[in-house]
């Protein structure tokens, strides 16, 4: 329990330090940075295809990105929980199996 609280505290500290130290900056995604780098290297570059659908605004795009991250985190947490529970059940079953083997 103490370990979990310590880890939670460290996560909160690590998440807030950049927000405090980097005030006035604009957070952007990798797509925007890649587009800047490409147009800097080759100013006449034109993408060879466009997205089928573009979100109506930046907030919707952020919402979809956050939703995607939440789903991914939920999947990873579920997988870790199931694996941990299976390991716990396996450890509990091993002493029971050893009794049957000795008969």
């Amino acid at each position: 329990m103490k370990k979990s609280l310590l880890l939670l505290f460290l996560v909160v500290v690590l998440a807030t330090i950049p927000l405090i130290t980097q005030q006035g900056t604009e957070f952007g995604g990798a797509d925007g940075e890649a587009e800047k780098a490409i147009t800097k290297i080759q100013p006449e570059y034109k993408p060879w295809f466009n997205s089928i659908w573009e979100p109506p605004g930046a907030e919707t795009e952020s919402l979809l990105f956050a939703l995607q991250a939440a789903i991914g985190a939920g999947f990873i947490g579920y997988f870790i929980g199931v694996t941990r529970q299976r390991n716990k059940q396996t450890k509990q079953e091993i002493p029971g199996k050893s009794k049957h083997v000795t008969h």
Side-chain angles (χ1 to χ4, degrees):
M1 183 70 178
K2 287 183 180 180
K3 229 184 224 183
S4 298
L5 290 175
L6 179 65
L7 290 174
L8 180 64
F9 176 73
L10 286 174
V11 167
V12 170
V13 168
L14 289 174
T16 53
I17 285 175
L19 296 174
I20 294 170
T21 59
Q22 302 291 327
Q23 291 183 351
T25 59
E26 186 174 319
F27 292 100
D31 294 342
E33 293 296 321
E35 187 177 340
K36 284 180 187 176
I38 291 170
T39 52
K40 187 177 179 181
I41 295 169
Q42 188 173 3
E44 297 174 8
Y45 172 77
K46 290 183 181 178
W48 43 282
F49 73 95
N50 292 324
S51 301
I52 296 171
W53 177 76
E54 291 202 20
E59 292 178 2
T60 306
E61 190 173 338
S62 296
L63 172 74
L64 292 174
F65 183 76
L67 183 64
Q68 178 186 2
I71 290 171
F75 177 77
I76 291 170
Y78 176 77
F79 179 76
I80 290 172
V82 167
T83 304
R84 188 172 179 189
Q85 186 63 29
R86 282 185 185 162
N87 288 340
K88 192 183 282 184
Q89 286 179 344
T90 303
K91 286 180 182 176
Q92 289 176 352
E93 290 176 3
I94 288 175
K97 285 184 179 178
S98 64
K99 289 180 183 176
H100 294 289
V101 173
T102 56
H103 287 290

